[in-house]
Amino acid sequence: MKVSDAKIIDLPKICDPRGNLTVVEELKDIPFKIARCYWIYDVPGGESRGGHAHKKLKQLLIALSGSFTVTLDDGTEKKTILLNHPYQGLILETNIWRTLDDFSSGAVCMVLASDIYDPDDYIYDYNEFIEYRKHLDG
Ligand code: TYD
């Protein structure tokens, strides 16, 4: 996947005077089955999350509350995307270096992931990531 392919998707939003509702169904609203859900919260001002790539894992990131930026890097190109609506999501395909920054006060980042936690799926070293991408991209 290239960074230029990354985009924010609009999720179904059911507007209601009692409060709105957004839903995600696997293989319908997102192109993978959901094996795991986790969320990042209480991020102190100025802190950064992420800073790695995944070899096989696909993810959907949603700003359930507040806002944060996601910087994507495919080894050639970088792009920074602001997530600030609970009815939008960013699909992260495989082999993209990502960093999450600029968390607003009270921001909650929910992640729907295509697989259970596997430390061996991570690339934590940026130079290793660049070499891995070169190998993949031929
Ligand atoms: P990590 O994925 O590196 O966090 P970030 O969101 O900043 O990229 O995970 C941070 C720590 O949490 C790491 O020690 C592994 C642990 N962890 C789990 O045990 N299970 C999980 O599902 C996740 C996502 C992380």
Side-chain angles (χ1 to χ4, degrees):
M1 185 226 180
K2 297 260 175 230
V3 155
S4 49
D5 299 329
K7 60 178 186 307
I8 287 181
I9 56 167
D10 283 321
L11 300 165
K13 181 180 178 187
I14 297 148
C15 296
D16 191 311
R18 299 171 301 157
N20 300 332
L21 184 154
T22 285
V23 57
V24 177
E25 288 186 23
E26 59 186 5
L27 302 176
K28 182 180 168 201
D29 304 300
I30 55 172
F32 55 84
K33 284 184 80 74
I34 299 164
R36 176 169 52 119
C37 177
Y38 64 91
W39 44 100
I40 297 167
Y41 53 96
D42 290 348
V43 179
E47 279 296 346
S48 181
R49 300 287 315 209
H52 56 75
H54 285 283
K55 296 178 198 163
K56 297 210 175 94
L57 191 73
K58 296 181 182 186
Q59 293 166 300
L60 177 77
L61 272 59
I62 302 173
L64 278 192
S65 179
S67 63
F68 54 88
T69 60
V70 187
T71 300
L72 307 174
D73 179 348
D74 59 18
T76 307
E77 194 190 347
K78 286 187 188 181
K79 183 176 181 178
T80 298
I81 294 172
L82 175 71
L83 285 179
N84 60 351
H85 294 297
Y87 53 84
Q88 289 182 331
L90 175 65
I91 292 181
L92 282 181
E93 295 283 351
T94 53
N95 300 304
I96 296 287
W97 188 269
R98 87 291 304 278
T99 313
L100 280 62
D101 297 282
D102 306 317
F103 283 84
S104 68
S105 171
V108 179
C109 169
M110 184 176 74
V111 183
L112 303 181
S114 64
D115 212 340
I116 57 169
Y117 176 64
D118 176 9
D120 292 335
D121 188 59
Y122 283 74
I123 304 175
Y124 272 119
D125 182 85
Y126 186 73
N127 292 328
E128 190 187 325
F129 165 69
I130 294 296
E131 287 307 311
Y132 191 73
R133 273 298 310 213
K134 276 187 196 158
H135 166 73
L136 284 178
D137 296 339

